[in-house]
């Protein structure tokens, strides 16, 4: 996949649309982050666009990081340099050119809805993160039982 995307991303004469289904499969979270950085760098140049289907909260979390890097880094030159030292500019995502949706059954029945908060322009909490919250609550309940509460 990487070789093909590298080749296709070099075509600057015509805009490319890249659609990748679940790039996180079989990857550790750090590898998911690295792959996402690479995809953003290679597949969003110029007029190219990138569509990713994912079930990974790590991917969504990293997308938020790249969105926020753009937000902070475009405020002034001093902040741009500081942010770029942490997240290189080629990975920043402009929220005005970004969309993220949650799909759960047919429209109207939980359906399709945007996860991008219009105020913060970041990905809001969503159902992919809900499992972590449920597990944390259950763990707290077990701690309470162990402590005799």
């Amino acid at each position: 996949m990487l070789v093909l995307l590298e080749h296709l991303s070099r075509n600057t004469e015509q805009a490319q649309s890249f659609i990748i289904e679940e790039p996180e499969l079989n990857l550790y979270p750090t590898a998911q982050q690295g792959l996402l950085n690479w995809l953003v760098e290679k597949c969003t140049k110029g007029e190219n666009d990138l569509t990713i289907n994912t079930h990974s909260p790590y991917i969504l979390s990293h997308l938020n990081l790249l969105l926020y890097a753009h937000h902070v880094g475009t405020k002034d030159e001093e902040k741009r340099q500081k942010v770029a030292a942490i997240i290189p500019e080629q990975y920043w995502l402009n929220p005005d050119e970004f969309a993220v949706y949650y799909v759960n059954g047919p429209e109207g029945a939980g359906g399709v809805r945007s996860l991008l908060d219009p105020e913060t322009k970041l990905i809001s909490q969503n159902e992919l993160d809900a499992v972590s919250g449920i597990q944390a609550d259950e763990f707290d309940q077990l701690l309470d039982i162990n402590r005799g509460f």
Side-chain angles (χ1 to χ4, degrees), residues 38-125:
W38 189 88
L39 290 170
V40 166
E41 179 183 8
K42 298 296 180 179
C43 300
T44 63
K45 290 179 186 173
E47 295 299 313
N48 292 346
D49 61 77
L50 172 63
T51 301
I52 296 174
N53 168 342
T54 186
H55 290 98
S56 173
Y58 301 114
I59 293 285
L60 295 179
S61 177
H62 194 63
L63 288 169
N64 247 358
L65 181 69
L66 302 181
L67 288 164
Y68 197 60
H70 181 276
H71 173 74
V72 176
T74 56
K75 289 188 176 206
D76 61 50
E77 182 58 26
E78 181 183 352
K79 287 182 178 163
R80 185 193 68 74
Q81 290 178 14
K82 287 180 178 180
V83 172
I86 300 167
I87 310 289
E89 280 187 70
Q90 68 264 27
Y91 306 139
W92 297 2
L93 289 173
N94 183 342
D96 296 328
E97 299 174 357
F98 180 84
V100 59
Y101 296 96
Y102 177 77
V103 180
N104 185 25
E107 185 132 13
V112 178
R113 70 179 189 281
S114 175
L115 293 178
L116 200 62
D117 183 297
E119 199 171 300
T120 64
K121 297 191 175 186
L122 295 173
I123 300 169
S124 63
Q125 285 230 288

Side-chain angles (χ1 to χ4, degrees), residues 1 4 7 9 19 21 25 29 39 46 53 72 97 106 111 117 130 132 134-136 143 148-149:
M1 174 181 78
L4 178 61
H7 173 72
S9 70
I19 302 170
E21 184 172 349
L25 291 180
L39 290 170
N53 168 342
V72 176
E97 299 174 357
D117 183 297
S132 296
I134 292 167
Q135 290 174 337
L143 288 172
F149 293 123

